[in-house]
Amino acid sequence: MDILDAIILGIVQGLTEFLPVSSSGHLELGKAILGDNSVPEESLLFTVVLHFATALSTIVVFRKDVWEILRGLFQLKWNEESQFTAKIIVSMLPAVFVGLFFEKQLEAFFGGNVMFVGFMLLITAILLYFADKAKDTGKKVGFGSAFIIGVSQAIAMLPGISRSGATISTSVLLGVDKSKSARFSFLMVVPLIFGKIAKDLMGGELTFNGENNLAMGAGFLAAFIAGLAACTWMIRLVRKSKLSYFAIYCLIVGLIAIIYGLTNR
């Protein structure tokens, strides 16, 4: 992968991470269009690096929320901050389970399988459509709903299933307020990304060769800057606009991906 391709994919990741349209799915489509021939392990590594960049941009944008959560934890009280952190931990459990026991199977989906991504985008479109029809009760995220949202996040590890789309849709279907859903959705993925990076570093699985270091660095920087620029705007967009708009987008892109896959078999 050359530097320009890495920058393009970084920008794609930074912009689509905060929209319910599947950033990993768009990355796989982008890799296929740009002619990336990485083996699945390398392809997944690049995806993880770009997600790490947008996780950092999430921390910068939500720095006040992150600080309040950390401050609440150090108070050693069962306060609102510690309860919110506990819910984040509960939401992580399904994805941690999948990551620990099905990582190799998951890697196989990150090899430019355009048709698979297309079908998963159609599923995302269906999720968003039904979520758009759900009534907003204004509820907060509870422990039970945090686990269910976590299950949807685990399923969204597949490219084409939007993580934010699946988690926000699940939250809204459970009656959680849209703005609260978006905040919880964006914050719940941060510890998972950092945990994935730490696990791979300690296990020696996260290795970089000289050829790809510069490209990955360029992609990381592009994703981080694009993520900073997009995060706040995307949250407002999710809160104010209809999820059906994103459903239509995912439907169109999914169908294009399936047609592209059929014509290039």
Side-chain angles (χ1 to χ4, degrees):
M1 182 182 298
D2 61 35
I3 294 175
L4 180 58
D5 289 350
I7 291 173
I8 292 172
L9 292 175
I11 293 171
V12 168
Q13 164 65 22
L15 293 177
T16 58
E17 173 63 22
F18 303 103
L19 273 179
V21 295
S22 179
S23 59
S24 59
H26 278 71
L27 282 180
E28 292 306 300
L29 294 177
K31 291 173 190 175
I33 293 170
L34 293 172
D36 177 37
N37 296 315
S38 301
V39 297
E41 292 83 357
E42 292 174 345
S43 183
L44 181 57
L45 170 62
F46 185 68
T47 299
V48 169
V49 168
L50 295 189
H51 276 81
F52 181 55
T54 48
L56 285 177
S57 67
T58 303
I59 289 176
V60 172
V61 173
F62 284 99
R63 57 191 178 276
K64 291 182 179 178
D65 299 80
V66 172
W67 171 245
E68 286 179 7
I69 291 169
L70 293 174
R71 187 175 58 184
L73 285 176
F74 286 120
Q75 291 175 0
L76 300 177
K77 296 178 181 178
W78 191 240
N79 52 26
E80 187 175 347
E81 290 82 6
S82 59
Q83 289 178 40
F84 185 82
T85 303
K87 292 170 189 174
I88 292 288
I89 293 171
V90 168
S91 75
M92 289 168 52
L93 296 178
V96 169
F97 177 81
V98 172
L100 288 175
F101 296 102
F102 298 98
E103 184 174 11
K104 292 300 178 184
Q105 292 87 337
L106 193 62
E107 283 179 354
F109 294 103
F110 287 82
N113 192 336
V114 173
M115 282 189 65
F116 178 82
V117 172
F119 282 114
M120 294 302 101
L121 281 169
L122 296 186
I123 293 175
T124 297
I126 293 169
L127 273 174
L128 293 171
Y129 174 79
F130 282 110
D132 190 58
K133 302 300 179 184
K135 292 183 179 179
D136 192 349
T137 64
K139 290 196 309 184
K140 293 182 179 180
V141 177
F143 284 95
S145 56
F147 183 80
I148 297 172
I149 295 166
V151 171
S152 68
Q153 176 168 251
I155 296 171
M157 294 170 79
L158 294 169
I161 299 289
S162 166
R163 192 203 64 80
S164 62
T167 53
I168 291 173
S169 294
T170 302
S171 300
V172 173
L173 288 169
L174 291 171
V176 179
D177 176 74
K178 269 189 182 181
S179 60
K180 293 184 178 70
S181 298
R183 176 174 175 260
F184 190 78
S185 172
F186 294 147
L187 287 173
M188 69 189 284
V189 75
V190 173
L192 277 179
I193 296 296
F194 278 89
K196 168 68 175 171
I197 293 290
K199 173 181 173 291
D200 289 350
L201 282 172
M202 290 186 293
E205 298 169 13
L206 191 59
T207 56
F208 303 89
N209 59 55
E211 296 178 4
N212 289 332
N213 281 354
L214 194 57
M216 285 206 177
F220 177 92
L221 188 61
F224 177 73
I225 293 172
L228 282 178
C231 186
T232 304
W233 177 67
M234 297 304 186
I235 292 169
R236 287 200 213 102
L237 194 61
V238 170
R239 186 190 302 133
K240 294 179 180 179
S241 65
K242 291 181 177 292
L243 292 175
S244 58
Y245 297 157
F246 300 110
I248 294 169
Y249 174 83
C250 287
L251 176 65
I252 294 171
V253 175
L255 290 174
I256 292 173
I258 292 170
I259 295 170
Y260 179 88
L262 287 172
T263 56
N264 288 273
R265 295 182 70 175

